[in-house]
Amino acid sequence: FKLTPDLRYIVSVSNLFITWDVATSDLVREVSPGVGGLMMDLEISPDNRFIAAYTSNNEVILLNALVSEVTIIKNPFGATENIVGLVLLDTNLIAYGKWNWAIYTTNGGKMIKTHQTRFINQPILSMKMLSIEDFSLMNWSGDVALDTSVIVSTFKEGEEVCHIKLHTAFAINRAQTKVWGCQSPDSNDVAMYDLVEDTWKLGIQYERFSKPFLQLTLSSDEQFVIGTFSHGFQLWETTKFSKMEQQGIQGITLKLPYQVYNVSKGMNKSSNCVLSANNQYAVSGIRKELYIWDAKNGDLVKSLAAHVGRIIDVQPLSMGALNIIITS
């Protein structure tokens, strides 16, 4: 599930598009696209008008949320390549496989063009786009036993201007001007790099860390970088330090209870940890439990039996008087 960018609705996909009103919890809309397979990788356009998902049968479903009109797009890569992800902009839909990506219009789902990655031995892991001309492309070998490195390539005006190799886990901000990741395959130390004059330059080095990270993410306000490791989470502030203090930045450790663990769900995919309003509490869902820590000192303050089944996702909703955590 995802929140719409205006934070008014929750949208979920399975074999249906389902929308709820955040303020009232009322079911607003159900739309059946009438295709086989389950829908995956939900994306919502920044202007809230379009919703997209791809199915386990390699079809892309584009929903105009204003009029509930569905457009079905067949796999642009044929039988040789599966769809692995989507990006949805206001005017364009991008579907990508392991080596290629295709660009469509959101108005009618017409294909504009296709592209191919130059890293043939390292398939596409994910894409982040500001526009179809300015974007970041993440490539990975697909085998963690073979290679833990991820290549983050930066494109401007449709041309690659630079790339950086990170290891084990990584995160990138919305503006795509900062990346976080481990500097080498034999180190768990996280660093931040700044995009300066079309070059990635080392900006901040955080404290030495002994355990490998399963995932790196950013808090919704991008004030914290959050590392997931097997026994808990590590929080580092991204902004509150002087230029004289850019090495060994200390973080807050959030420890899980005894015999409760985070597990890897894929490359840079594991349990989410999110922050409440004013970054006061950190919250994560493991198994059926919701764990809540004081984000200032790392103390575990509460655990809740939140679900009867395994918690799949946790997302924050902080806006005005709202201070909510949503779980599924």
Side-chain angles (χ1 to χ4, degrees), residues 76-89:
F77 315 121
T80 59
E81 194 171 341
N82 293 327
I83 298 170
V84 298
L86 302 173
V87 179
L88 188 55
L89 306 173

Side-chain angles (χ1 to χ4, degrees), residues 108-156:
K110 180 183 178 181
M111 182 188 286
I112 300 174
K113 54 186 174 180
T114 61
H115 295 273
Q116 185 179 54
T117 177
R118 68 181 180 88
F119 297 107
I120 300 302
N121 294 323
Q122 291 176 295
I124 298 170
L125 175 65
S126 60
M127 299 183 74
K128 291 192 72 168
M129 287 189 156
L130 299 171
S131 71
I132 58 173
E133 298 293 323
D134 300 308
F135 59 93
S136 298
L137 187 64
M138 279 63 78
N139 292 74
W140 172 56
S141 69
D143 185 351
V144 70
L146 178 68
D147 188 4
T148 61
S149 65
V150 173
I151 300 172
V152 180
S153 303
T154 304
F155 289 76
K156 291 185 177 181

Side-chain angles (χ1 to χ4, degrees), residues 70-323:
V70 171
T71 301
I72 300 173
I73 301 170
K74 299 297 182 182
N75 184 359
F77 315 121
T80 59
E81 194 171 341
N82 293 327
I83 298 170
V84 298
L86 302 173
V87 179
L88 188 55
L89 306 173
D90 288 344
T91 56
N92 294 103
L93 166 68
I94 298 88
Y96 58 91
K98 285 188 173 183
W99 295 279
N100 298 276
W101 67 95
I103 302 174
Y104 297 86
T105 63
T106 50
N107 184 15
K110 180 183 178 181
M111 182 188 286
I112 300 174
K113 54 186 174 180
T114 61
H115 295 273
Q116 185 179 54
T117 177
R118 68 181 180 88
F119 297 107
I120 300 302
N121 294 323
Q122 291 176 295
I124 298 170
L125 175 65
S126 60
M127 299 183 74
K128 291 192 72 168
M129 287 189 156
L130 299 171
S131 71
I132 58 173
E133 298 293 323
D134 300 308
F135 59 93
S136 298
L137 187 64
M138 279 63 78
N139 292 74
W140 172 56
S141 69
D143 185 351
V144 70
L146 178 68
D147 188 4
T148 61
S149 65
V150 173
I151 300 172
V152 180
S153 303
T154 304
F155 289 76
K156 291 185 177 181
E157 297 180 359
E159 299 293 330
E160 183 182 346
V161 295
C162 63
H163 68 267
I164 184 173
K165 183 179 285 189
L166 301 171
H167 296 270
T168 308
F170 69 95
I172 184 168
N173 67 343
R174 281 186 288 271
Q176 300 177 34
T177 56
K178 298 179 185 292
V179 295
W180 289 259
C182 298
Q183 302 174 71
S184 66
D186 54 356
S187 170
N188 303 313
D189 301 342
V190 173
M192 186 195 78
Y193 294 82
D194 289 297
L195 186 63
V196 181
E197 296 178 350
D198 294 342
T199 302
W200 287 108
K201 293 188 176 181
L202 179 62
I204 300 166
Q205 291 178 290
Y206 298 98
E207 64 196 301
R208 298 190 65 84
F209 208 77
S210 60
K211 300 176 180 64
F213 287 101
L214 307 175
Q215 174 180 274
L216 288 178
T217 59
L218 291 174
S219 60
S220 56
D221 62 3
E222 299 191 342
Q223 295 297 304
F224 285 85
V225 59
I226 305 168
T228 302
F229 61 96
S230 60
H231 292 84
F233 304 90
Q234 191 75 3
L235 308 183
W236 292 289
E237 290 190 73
T238 59
T239 56
K240 293 182 180 179
F241 42 80
S242 70
K243 289 187 177 181
M244 300 296 292
E245 303 173 316
Q246 293 194 331
Q247 289 193 357
I249 302 296
Q250 298 293 305
I252 299 294
T253 302
L254 313 176
K255 291 185 178 179
L256 286 166
Y258 178 64
Q259 290 190 332
V260 179
Y261 305 102
N262 291 313
V263 296
S264 175
K265 301 173 184 176
M267 181 61 177
N268 204 44
K269 291 182 180 179
S270 187
S271 305
N272 274 356
C273 179
V274 300
L275 298 179
S276 67
N278 303 315
N279 297 319
Q280 183 176 5
Y281 295 106
V283 184
S284 184
I286 314 292
R287 300 176 184 167
K288 303 176 184 179
E289 301 287 324
L290 209 58
Y291 296 99
I292 305 170
W293 294 268
D294 186 321
K296 306 302 180 186
N297 57 32
D299 291 343
L300 180 64
V301 295
K302 185 171 287 189
S303 61
L304 303 170
H307 283 260
V308 294
R310 182 177 295 273
I311 295 172
I312 302 299
D313 199 6
V314 179
Q315 293 188 30
L317 172 54
S318 301
M319 180 181 65
L322 293 177
N323 188 17

